[in-house]
């Protein structure tokens, strides 16, 4: 009989072939983490209740009151959330020293159980200066190429391990349905059929088929579940008890179970099959119940139904959003099936509350033992419990950090993620013999806009946030500095043979990216107008975290390329503009027209400008 795993892997191969990727997708042996239970049981039998609760407690390192608290509270994990950076700076050595400092202290505790240290390495090790930054998932979704996505994740895992860190809160397998959501770009696609292939590919790349590989990083599939399906207007309050809400983020996903399974759970089964060791329950609610406190979701559907044997890590202070006081919130979430809590600040209060709950019988010791067993299973699978393997950073990996080889992988990802929306009169590819090229637009020479949210800063940062190649620099490398005129406002267009106008969004992350208006900025429209008024062919390149309303520039642009958020390797954009790489990208989201009255693709008010799967080539 064909097992689900064989069916899944067969679908991967077919999809790979169907997408012109002849190579079958390498099958991974799924991690049945329960195979470590004999060792886990032996260790668990030696542990005190305090030591067990410490394994379930994850502070953010910036809130650790002192290093000895790692021993005092038997802490099993730390994270660096957004902007939780080394005090000495965001360089590679500072990050590595930060990690080694904590891990070395953890190894001095009674049981010497190493930390799992989590970071949001969601498209490269994006907290660290000099890292290779890949296209955000929305761009990778346009490649439809699981092998490429796996390669990107492999480079990411190597660069994460260069800092010693061993856990990435990635991949996000959200299936966004309303592009006004600030996290649309973290999703591969609006289509579950794309997400269920690319999500496990990213897991495979990060975990490298075997978690004890010294270059492997524990994946964390997120956010479970329905994060991309919230109802417009149901988003989180803008501040404590505020009547004002963000439109979508952390809102309420009002769908029946069949729809939840068909769309929003699509990436989880295949990722579990691929061996994902951790899953992050989501901030949002499902029909009014917070995911972080839902026994039906976390235990019935995920652990029992999908057979997940790893552990669940809460989102950042997500437990605090449950009803009741903190003690009641902890009880509900742990009893629902949460295994580790990203506290992240008041870890002493969390520790003491959970201990009291066990003493009072409100959280059964059996639930504690199950949670800790799941965490320890994964630590054994990671090789962390093998005294022969030091969990401290392997600094020989520093020499490949941000290397030309790594950047070449990212450049290929950029090439394949470009989607040519329009190309009248064969404007593209641009001739290398073009006499003079005007490069305009506020994002032409802006690596921060090119990378988007989560680069160095949680919210990202416009401007020179990280070293990389901007679109302008890439074009200059192709045709020579002296044949390129750079003017953000497109002035000085006289005498040029073609204009490339790079426009789009400025960086944002999470709820800060929720929008009600998706129109282009006036500055961007003005730059396209100015280029067009010069009477020359105009190529528009859009850097954005989602489809945006382009009706006003559509008739003025002879060619339009959706580049989404390509990351540091702008050469990949130039490769498509000049035809070094013939475009293969296909839209992973439907692209709306400006007369839409809704931007949720299942709403009747959604009007399509370019359909899902659209993409021209030369
Ligand atoms: C954030 C995000 C989640 C991230 C976590 C840690 O709020 O929701 O995706 O992994 O906190 O930074």
């Amino acid at each position: 009989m064909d097992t689900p795993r064989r069916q899944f892997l067969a679908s991967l191969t077919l999809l790979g072939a169907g997408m012109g990727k002849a190579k079958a997708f390498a099958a991974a042996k799924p991690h049945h983490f329960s195979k470590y239970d004999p060792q886990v049981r032996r260790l668990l039998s030696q542990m005190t209740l305090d030591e067990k609760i410490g394994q379930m407690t994850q502070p953010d390192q910036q809130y650790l009151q002192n290093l000895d608290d790692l021993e005092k509270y038997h802490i099993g994990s730390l994270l660096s959330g957004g902007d939780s950076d080394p005090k000495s700076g965001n360089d590679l050595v500072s990050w590595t020293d930060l990690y080694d400092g904590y891990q070395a202290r953890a190894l001095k505790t009674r049981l010497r159980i190493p930390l799992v240290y989590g970071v949001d390495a969601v498209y490269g090790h994006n907290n660290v200066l000099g890292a290779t930054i890949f296209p955000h998932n929305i761009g990778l979704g346009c490649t439809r190429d699981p092998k490429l996505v796996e390669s990107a994740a492999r480079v990411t895992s190597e660069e994460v391990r260069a800092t010693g860190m061993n856990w990435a809160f990635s991949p996000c397998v959200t299936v966004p349905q309303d592009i006004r959501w600030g996290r649309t770009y973290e999703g591969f696609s609006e289509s579950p059929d794309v997400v269920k292939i690319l999500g496990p590919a990213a897991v495979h790349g990060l975990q490298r088929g075997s978690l004890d590989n010294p270059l492997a990083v524990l994946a964390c599939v997120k956010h479970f579940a329905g994060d991309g399906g919230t109802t417009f207007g149901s988003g989180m309050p803008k501040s404590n008890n505020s009547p004002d809400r963000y439109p979508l983020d952390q809102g309420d996903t009002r769908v029946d179970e069949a729809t939840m399974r068909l769309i929003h759970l699509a990436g989880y089964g295949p990722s579990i099959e691929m061996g994902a060791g951790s899953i992050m329950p989501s901030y949002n609610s499902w029909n009014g119940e917070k995911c972080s406190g839902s026994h039906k979701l976390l235990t019935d559907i995920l652990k029992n139904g999908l057979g997940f044997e790893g552990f669940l890590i809460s989102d950042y202070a997500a437990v605090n959003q449950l009803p009741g006081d903190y003690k009641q919130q902890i009880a509900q979430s742990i009893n629902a099936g949460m295994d580790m809590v990203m506290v992240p600040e008041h870890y002493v209060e969390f520790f003491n509350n959970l201990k009291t709950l066990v003493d009072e019988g409100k959280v059964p010791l059996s639930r504690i033992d199950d949670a800790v067993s799941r965490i320890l299973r994964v630590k054994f699978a990671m090789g962390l419990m093998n005294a022969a393997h030091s969990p401290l950073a392997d600094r020989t990996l520093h020499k490949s950090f941000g290397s030309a080889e790594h950047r070449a992988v990212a450049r290929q990802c950029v090439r394949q993620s470009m989607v040519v929306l329009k190309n009248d009169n064969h404007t593209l590819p641009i001739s290398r013999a073009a006499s003079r090229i005007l490069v305009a637009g506020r994002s032409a020479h802006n690596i921060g806009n090119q990378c988007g949210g989560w680069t160095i800063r949680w919210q990202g940062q416009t401007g020179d946030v990280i070293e990389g190649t901007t679109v302008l620099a890439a074009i200059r490398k192709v045709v020579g500095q002296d044949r390129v005129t750079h003017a953000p406002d497109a002035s000085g267009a006289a005498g040029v043979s073609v204009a490339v106008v790079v426009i789009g969004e400025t960086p944002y992350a999470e709820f800060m990216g929720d929008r009600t208006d998706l129109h282009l900025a006036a500055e961007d429209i003005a730059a396209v107008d100015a280029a067009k008024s010069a009477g020359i062919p105009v190529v528009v390149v859009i850097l954005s975290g989602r489809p945006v309303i382009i009706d006003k520039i559509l008739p003025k642009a002879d060619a339009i390329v959706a580049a989404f958020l390509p990351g540091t390797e702008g050469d990949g954009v130039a490769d498509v503009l000049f035809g070094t790489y013939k475009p293969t990208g296909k839209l992973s989201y439907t692209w709306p027209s400006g007369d839409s009255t809704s931007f949720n693709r299942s709403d009747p008010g959604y009007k399509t400008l370019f359909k899902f799967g659209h993409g021209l080539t030369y």
Side-chain angles (χ1 to χ4, degrees), residues 156-198:
T156 297
S157 75
E158 185 174 336
E159 297 200 0
V160 170
R161 287 304 296 266
T163 59
M165 292 164 187
N166 48 23
W167 189 11
F169 299 127
S170 178
C172 185
V173 295
T174 184
V175 190
Q177 301 298 296
D178 190 319
I179 56 173
R180 291 169 291 187
W181 185 38
R183 307 194 76 165
T184 297
Y185 66 77
E186 295 186 63
F188 290 109
S189 177
E190 68 186 31
S191 163
D193 293 339
V194 173
V195 173
K196 72 185 178 187
I197 298 297
L198 300 187

Side-chain angles (χ1 to χ4, degrees), residues 572-591:
V573 179
D575 291 338
V576 168
L577 295 180
F578 289 94
T580 309
Y581 180 80
K582 291 184 176 14
T584 53
K586 304 294 178 194
L587 284 181
S588 57
Y589 289 83
T590 309
W591 197 291

Side-chain angles (χ1 to χ4, degrees), residues 175 177 190-196 255-268 601:
V175 190
Q177 301 298 296
E190 68 186 31
S191 163
D193 293 339
V194 173
V195 173
K196 72 185 178 187
V255 296
D256 61 20
E257 184 166 337
T259 304
M260 175 63 92
R261 286 180 180 279
L262 176 70
I263 295 180
H264 302 292
L265 296 194
Y268 289 92
R601 68 187 188 107

Side-chain angles (χ1 to χ4, degrees), residues 582-606:
K582 291 184 176 14
T584 53
K586 304 294 178 194
L587 284 181
S588 57
Y589 289 83
T590 309
W591 197 291
S593 60
D595 56 351
S596 297
T597 56
S598 167
F599 294 94
N600 182 318
R601 68 187 188 107
S602 55
D603 285 352
Y606 190 107

Side-chain angles (χ1 to χ4, degrees), residues 79-82 120 169 183 186 222-223 250 280 283 315-316 342 454 458 510:
L79 87 141
S80 278
D120 291 283
F169 299 127
R183 307 194 76 165
E186 295 186 63
K222 67 185 187 181
H223 312 80
Q250 305 186 23
M280 185 184 291
Y283 283 121
D315 206 333
Y316 201 88
M342 189 185 292
W454 293 100
W458 169 48
E510 300 192 53

Side-chain angles (χ1 to χ4, degrees), residues 135-368:
H136 263 301
N137 284 348
I138 187 171
L140 294 179
C142 297
T143 71
R144 307 294 204 277
D145 186 342
K147 289 301 290 172
L148 187 69
V149 168
E150 181 202 338
S151 304
R154 287 171 70 88
V155 168
T156 297
S157 75
E158 185 174 336
E159 297 200 0
V160 170
R161 287 304 296 266
T163 59
M165 292 164 187
N166 48 23
W167 189 11
F169 299 127
S170 178
C172 185
V173 295
T174 184
V175 190
Q177 301 298 296
D178 190 319
I179 56 173
R180 291 169 291 187
W181 185 38
R183 307 194 76 165
T184 297
Y185 66 77
E186 295 186 63
F188 290 109
S189 177
E190 68 186 31
S191 163
D193 293 339
V194 173
V195 173
K196 72 185 178 187
I197 298 297
L198 300 187
V203 169
H204 190 53
L206 286 171
Q207 299 194 162
R208 292 179 170 254
S210 181
L211 268 171
D212 61 0
N213 181 318
L215 299 181
V217 161
L218 174 63
C220 180
V221 190
K222 67 185 187 181
H223 312 80
F224 190 83
D227 49 350
T230 57
T231 299
F232 189 82
S234 71
M236 63 182 279
K238 288 193 173 178
S239 61
N240 284 342
N241 309 318
S242 155
D244 292 337
R245 310 183 80 87
Y246 291 97
L248 286 156
D249 195 34
Q250 305 186 23
D252 191 18
T253 298
R254 297 166 187 158
V255 296
D256 61 20
E257 184 166 337
T259 304
M260 175 63 92
R261 286 180 180 279
L262 176 70
I263 295 180
H264 302 292
L265 296 194
Y268 289 92
S271 294
I272 291 168
E273 276 292 318
M274 196 51 77
S278 70
I279 290 177
M280 185 184 291
S282 185
Y283 283 121
N284 65 274
S285 303
W286 180 26
N287 296 329
E289 184 184 32
K290 281 283 181 183
C291 297
S292 303
S294 168
H295 189 275
K296 175 176 181 177
L297 266 177
L298 305 191
T299 297
D300 299 343
I301 291 177
L302 180 54
K303 291 182 175 178
N304 297 341
L306 290 174
F308 180 57
E309 296 187 344
F311 70 89
L312 304 186
I313 171 72
S314 81
D315 206 333
Y316 201 88
V319 169
N320 306 58
Q321 293 183 0
L322 299 181
D325 63 24
Y326 192 33
K327 195 173 159 195
Q328 290 165 322
Q329 293 163 340
I330 295 168
Q332 181 185 346
S333 189
I334 301 297
N335 287 331
M338 195 71 75
D339 300 308
M340 184 189 287
V341 172
M342 189 185 292
V343 180
E345 183 173 356
H346 306 295
Y347 57 93
V348 174
E349 187 184 358
F350 171 80
F351 183 95
N352 292 332
N353 270 317
L354 184 49
K355 189 172 178 183
T356 304
L357 285 163
V358 176
D359 292 344
E360 292 172 352
K362 290 175 182 165
V363 172
L365 183 57
S366 58
R367 177 72 269 275
I368 299 292

